[in-house]
């Protein structure tokens, strides 16, 4: 449904004044939005059962609230590792059982939805933000959807994609700013920090920041994560790998569990300082 001015409606602050809080699998008692700070961490891709279970336990001990791991990977090159598919999802669910963390994984097409029945949060990647057929099916599913911003999409287009999911009957949308394409090439993308306050003004939906894909470089992840926390993000999505040099996907931007522990502690300290100021 659209407003008379051709804008989003259900995703709009005008439609709902209070912040939306998205419950992640009630049995975990986890929720995104509403003043908390929700941190999702894990490798770009599920590689082996041992790898994903080990990372899951480590990040849980360091304060992560959910585990990410891609099984279906949208790779720019057809010759790169494409993910383990359904086997990867099975391993991710084993890591959930081993760690107690809810899991997040990316879907690439609507026909894969039955495979995601047990997955707690379904991620729609930047390259699929305007896959309207997929958004329509996710609208019917009722599951929490983590909707990444498209590589070259405006905030308004992004919110319209959220609207597609919501108009289908699913209010459980979490936005994720993951950087946009600009003329700058020193970083993989440009993290649009101002999107955070803009989205907060235009919409009631929670918004996370992903400094891993935005910068493409592990050395810049912590500072941009803290900047996003200061800008008012409801949480973070961070790529963490036990051995970034050997990662099958996105190793250069992956931080280690130790680095994640430092980032998590600093983000908490920053939020506490901002609360007390
Ligand atoms: C990912 O999260 O691994 C991913 C592919 O992200 P994006 O869609 O933001 O590029
Ligand atoms: Mn990745």
């Amino acid at each position: 449904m659209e407003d008379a001015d051709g804008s989003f409606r259900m995703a709009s602050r005008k439609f709902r004044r209070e912040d939306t809080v998205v419950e992640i699998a009630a049995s975990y008692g986890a929720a995104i939005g509403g003043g908390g700070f929700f941190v999702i961490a894990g490798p770009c891709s599920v590689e082996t059962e041992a790898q994903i279970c080990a990372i899951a336990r480590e990040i849980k001990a360091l304060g992560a609230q959910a585990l990410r791991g891609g099984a279906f990977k949208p790779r720019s090159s057809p010759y790169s590792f494409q993910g383990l598919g359904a086997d990867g999802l099975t391993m991710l669910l084993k890591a959930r059982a081993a760690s107690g963390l809810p899991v997040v994984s990316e879907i690439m097409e609507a026909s894969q939805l039955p495979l995601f029945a047990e997955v707690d949060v379904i991620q729609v990647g930047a390259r699929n933000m305007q896959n309207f057929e997929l958004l329509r099916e996710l609208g019917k599913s009722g599951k929490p959807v983590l909707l990444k911003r498209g590589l070259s999409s405006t905030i308004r287009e992004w919110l319209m994609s959220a609207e597609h999911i919501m108009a289908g009957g699913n209010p459980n949308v979490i936005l994720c700013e993951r950087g946009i394409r600009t003329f700058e090439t020193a970083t993989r993308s440009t993290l649009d920090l101002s999107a955070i306050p803009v989205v907060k003004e235009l919409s009631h939906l929670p918004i996370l920041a992903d400094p891993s894909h935005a910068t493409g470089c592990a050395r810049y992840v912590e500072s941009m994560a803290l900047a996003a926390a200061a800008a008012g993000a409801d949480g973070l999505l961070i790529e963490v790998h036990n051995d970034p040099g050997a990662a099958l996907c996105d190793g250069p931007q992956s931080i280690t569990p130790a680095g994640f522990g430092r980032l998590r502690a600093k983000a908490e300290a920053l939020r506490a300082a901002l609360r007390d100021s």
Side-chain angles (χ1 to χ4, degrees):
M1 265 185 279
E2 292 183 17
D3 263 352
D5 66 358
S7 174
F8 46 91
R9 176 170 175 251
M10 298 174 85
S12 168
R13 221 8 125 187
K14 285 189 232 153
F15 181 78
R16 186 185 148 96
R17 282 177 58 85
E18 327 81 70
D19 288 346
T20 282
V21 179
V22 178
E23 306 284 342
I24 309 300
S27 51
Y28 295 96
I32 304 184
F37 196 67
F38 197 91
V39 181
I40 303 168
C44 184
S45 312
V46 177
E47 296 172 5
T48 64
E49 188 179 323
Q51 170 241 18
I52 194 71
C53 289
I55 295 176
R57 287 198 197 90
E58 280 195 84
I59 60 165
K60 163 92 191 240
L62 295 166
Q65 286 119 305
L67 171 70
R68 64 152 286 146
F72 297 96
K73 296 303 305 175
R75 302 304 301 275
S76 298
S77 165
Y79 307 115
S80 302
F81 175 60
Q82 305 290 307
L84 298 178
D87 290 344
L89 288 181
T90 304
M91 293 174 193
L92 188 64
L93 294 173
K94 288 196 174 150
R96 175 174 72 178
S99 64
L101 288 175
V103 293
V104 182
S105 200
E106 178 169 353
I107 192 167
M108 283 181 44
E109 47 184 272
S111 64
Q112 293 166 349
L113 247 176
L115 296 171
F116 283 73
E118 294 295 316
V119 172
D120 300 293
V121 179
I122 302 182
Q123 176 173 321
V124 174
R127 291 156 191 81
N128 263 318
M129 189 204 84
Q130 288 189 318
N131 179 343
F132 296 117
E133 167 68 15
L134 176 60
L135 301 180
R136 208 178 355 264
E137 290 305 313
L138 290 168
K140 292 184 210 155
S141 89
K143 270 196 178 278
V145 177
L146 181 81
L147 179 65
K148 288 203 164 191
R149 181 176 182 180
L151 298 139
S152 301
S153 299
T154 65
I155 293 172
R156 197 160 279 278
E157 287 164 341
W158 186 18
L159 290 171
M160 284 304 273
S161 289
E163 188 77 17
H164 273 270
I165 300 169
M166 299 176 85
N170 184 354
N172 302 311
V173 179
I174 305 138
L175 301 166
C176 181
E177 162 60 41
R178 48 80 69 215
I180 50 174
R181 185 159 289 188
T182 68
F183 54 81
E184 185 53 70
T185 55
T187 47
R188 186 175 178 184
S189 290
T190 298
L191 183 62
D192 183 7
L193 282 173
S194 49
I196 297 167
V198 171
V199 162
K200 288 265 162 222
E201 190 170 273
L202 293 178
S203 177
H204 51 83
L205 295 173
I207 176 169
L208 306 182
D210 170 356
S212 307
H213 291 88
T215 62
C217 175
R219 295 190 304 286
Y220 309 143
V221 167
E222 181 184 290
S223 54
M224 297 316 286
L226 296 175
D234 295 292
L236 299 166
L237 181 77
I238 307 280
E239 284 192 340
V240 177
H241 197 283
N242 51 324
D243 184 2
L248 295 180
C249 182
D250 285 349
Q253 69 195 34
S254 299
I255 61 172
T256 60
F260 174 71
R262 285 192 292 275
L263 181 162
R264 187 79 187 88
K266 286 189 191 177
E268 270 315 306
L270 175 69
R271 281 176 49 83
L274 291 174
R275 250 193 322 266
D276 298 342
S277 63

